[in-house]
Amino acid sequence: MRDLVGISTPTGWVRGKDRLAAIAAAEGLSLRAYLARLAETLLTPAERAERAEKALAALNEWNGYAPTAAQQQDLDSELDRRLAQVTGQ
């Protein structure tokens, strides 16, 4: 979250908290309720890895898709390149 909000100092944490509180208030929620709702929509790294593993297994079963580690890295790099292109980074 720190990278997303650009926070690296105690003052930055306060600005980040104030921003989240303003977003929550605009949606008619307390900061606590907003964060609880947000937490329900996010996956932990372990949950993301589990989903990716299940998706890969389903693709393999469906059509034999089984990329090598090098192919997966190439695909990840291409996705990163495309995301950077559309976000202007």
Side-chain angles (χ1 to χ4, degrees):
M1 179 114 165
R2 181 179 310 179
D3 294 334
L4 293 175
V5 185
I7 303 171
S8 61
T9 65
T11 304
W13 281 107
V14 171
R15 283 194 307 266
K17 181 182 175 196
D18 290 346
R19 178 170 166 71
L20 288 172
I23 293 168
E27 295 190 25
L29 298 170
S30 68
L31 178 56
R32 181 181 301 264
Y34 179 77
L35 291 174
R37 187 178 76 178
L38 180 63
E40 290 298 318
T41 66
L42 301 174
L43 298 175
T44 66
E47 290 167 332
R48 283 193 304 274
E50 182 181 354
R51 278 194 179 184
E53 191 176 302
K54 286 180 179 179
L56 191 55
L59 284 169
N60 184 285
E61 183 179 320
W62 176 54
N63 65 8
Y65 181 72
T68 64
Q71 289 170 323
Q72 284 183 339
Q73 181 58 48
D74 288 345
L75 291 169
D76 287 346
S77 295
E78 177 63 12
L79 180 58
D80 289 343
R81 183 190 70 74
R82 290 183 185 197
L83 287 171
Q85 185 178 23
V86 298
T87 60
Q89 295 179 353

